Amino acid sequence: MQTNIGTLNESALHNSLKELHTEIGDEVECPVDGYIVDIKKADRIVEIQTTNLHRVVSKIQDLVNKHCLHLVYPIAERTTITKNLADGSVQGRKSPKRGTVYEIFSALVSAPTIILHPKFSLEVPMIHEEQIRVFDSSKAWRRRHWVIVERRLIEPINTHTFNDETDLWSLFSDLLPETFTSKEVAHCVGIGRRLAQQSLYCLRRCGVVEMVGKQGNELIYQTMGQAKT
């Protein structure tokens, strides 16, 4: 039985990224080991996931045992919000929120050790995206009932590629002291405290950092020997 979504359920953002990664000779939306994969190349499978990595963790873990798998997970560095108003008019504005590559760790908590697999690689395109929103009084109270119904690619900005845990650690290695807490990671890197904790969880599971003590209620970390630069 084939699983996972097909083209009818894909977003405009997903389709745009798929087009960017498809070359002549590639097979698109084809069956592999009971799954429908986005792109099958001669030497690897390319899977594109635009939301909720946990939904495809089992699929990735199954496929990577037999095939080289390249996961594409975009993060919106810039966002334009377009609201479709009840009178048929459209209202657009730029979101003040700026995404960073560190948000990948919020996704990786679903599979923190997948980066250790020798057949797995991760690509994080930083993009400018458009969010199409409509008003629905029964949903999305945190966004004042404006529901995101579509995401569209405006333009790619740059791309980060990670082949192993050392590549992930390179996002931190030049910014942190010899020992550090999640609070210090948040301050030094310029991210929120929760994201710093998620980052340290992933890096610890990958054997890059280890806990070495406590400072009040704060856990203290340091790099493992193989992660030092």
Side-chain angles (χ1 to χ4, degrees):
M1 178 179 179
Q2 294 173 357
T3 58
N4 207 25
I5 60 172
T7 54
L8 292 178
N9 294 322
E10 291 175 0
S11 68
L13 174 59
H14 185 282
N15 282 328
S16 294
L17 290 169
K18 186 166 63 177
E19 289 176 7
L20 288 174
H21 286 80
T22 302
E23 301 172 311
I24 295 174
D26 292 346
E27 296 181 64
V28 177
E29 296 296 326
C30 65
V32 176
D33 295 346
Y35 295 97
I36 299 298
V37 302
D38 289 321
I39 305 169
K40 182 181 178 183
K41 296 180 177 288
D43 60 344
R44 66 189 184 280
I45 292 168
V46 177
E47 276 292 295
I48 298 164
Q49 186 68 11
T50 57
T51 59
N52 299 327
L53 184 59
H54 69 86
R55 293 180 179 177
V56 293
V57 167
S58 295
K59 175 183 180 181
I60 291 170
Q61 290 174 333
D62 286 347
L63 290 173
V64 80
N65 287 323
K66 296 182 180 179
H67 311 274
C68 291
L69 190 145
H70 185 70
L71 175 67
V72 179
Y73 190 93
I75 292 174
E77 183 173 321
R78 299 199 300 268
T79 302
T80 295
I81 298 171
T82 301
K83 292 182 177 179
N84 294 330
L85 305 181
D87 61 5
S89 62
V90 174
Q91 182 185 80
R93 66 178 177 86
K94 293 182 179 178
S95 171
K97 181 181 178 181
R98 306 279 289 196
T100 75
V101 67
Y102 294 95
E103 291 174 27
I104 190 59
F105 289 97
S106 182
L108 286 176
V109 293
S110 299
T113 60
I114 190 65
I115 195 69
L116 301 177
H117 201 292
K119 293 183 178 180
F120 178 83
S121 58
L122 171 66
E123 178 182 339
V124 182
M126 304 301 297
I127 63 171
H128 181 188
E129 76 169 32
E130 179 186 24
Q131 290 184 358
I132 311 299
R133 300 185 183 185
V134 298
F135 187 82
D136 186 334
S137 61
S138 65
K139 298 179 181 179
W141 61 269
R142 289 184 179 178
R143 289 191 297 271
R144 299 182 180 180
H145 306 293
W146 284 96
V147 180
I148 300 171
V149 295
E150 187 61 278
R151 297 168 66 198
R152 298 173 181 168
L153 176 67
I154 295 178
E155 63 175 343
I157 299 173
N158 57 56
T159 297
H160 301 268
T161 301
F162 305 94
N163 293 303
D164 55 32
E165 70 277 18
T166 303
D167 289 340
L168 290 176
W169 172 242
S170 69
L171 295 173
F172 302 86
S173 57
D174 295 331
L175 301 173
L176 299 177
E178 184 175 346
T179 61
F180 43 85
T181 64
S182 62
K183 182 178 180 179
E184 290 169 327
V185 170
H187 174 73
C188 292
V189 176
I191 58 178
R193 183 70 174 278
R194 176 171 172 77
L195 185 53
Q197 292 170 335
Q198 291 172 329
S199 302
L200 287 172
Y201 169 77
C202 293
L203 293 170
R204 183 170 61 85
R205 289 289 307 276
C206 289
V208 176
V209 303
E210 62 180 341
M211 292 184 292
V212 293
K214 291 189 70 175
Q215 180 178 304
N217 293 325
E218 292 279 345
L219 296 173
I220 302 173
Y221 297 84
Q222 70 175 15
T223 59
M224 300 286 283
Q226 66 270 27
K228 295 180 180 178
T229 59

